[in-house]
Amino acid sequence: MTAAHPTGPLGGHLDDDDYPAYTMGRAAEILGTTQGFLRAIGEHRLITPLRSAGGHRRYSRYQLRMAARARELVDQGTPVEAACRIVILEDQLEGAQRINAEYRRASGSPNPPAAA
């Protein structure tokens, strides 16, 4: 086995943030929450787990980070639906900021234009 051609149960997905490697039970255990919480944030469309061939929910590391952030907000008293919306908006903002930074790098401009 070489680093360029990994084999095994994950087949080279060890560094893939989007690979659905975690079962619902394991995801709940990692997050210190219940499977019901994972179902609830799925119902509010925060995360949509992939399904195994047998129909079981599978979660990625990226989804677990999103779920963990929602759990923080819920633990602080935020309703689940609002927590999911907040996390979605935070994720969208981060993505937009990353794209803006890439545009600035590509244009050679280190600073964003000043607001009028």
Side-chain angles (χ1 to χ4, degrees), residues 24 27-28 31 33 35 37-51 57-70 84-85 87-88 91:
M24 177 179 265
L31 296 170
T33 190
Q35 293 181 14
F37 176 77
L38 291 172
R39 284 187 203 96
I41 62 175
E43 289 170 12
H44 292 294
R45 298 185 180 152
L46 175 60
I47 56 177
T48 303
L50 292 175
R51 298 284 183 149
R57 290 174 178 90
R58 305 283 298 191
Y59 298 89
S60 68
R61 287 190 311 231
Y62 170 76
Q63 290 173 323
L64 293 185
R65 282 196 305 276
M66 299 283 281
R69 176 66 180 130
C84 290
R85 186 67 183 139
V87 174
I88 288 167
D91 189 56

Side-chain angles (χ1 to χ4, degrees), residues 1-17:
M1 178 171 92
T2 67
H5 302 289
T7 60
L10 295 179
H13 297 288
L14 291 174
D15 294 331
D16 186 349
D17 231 16

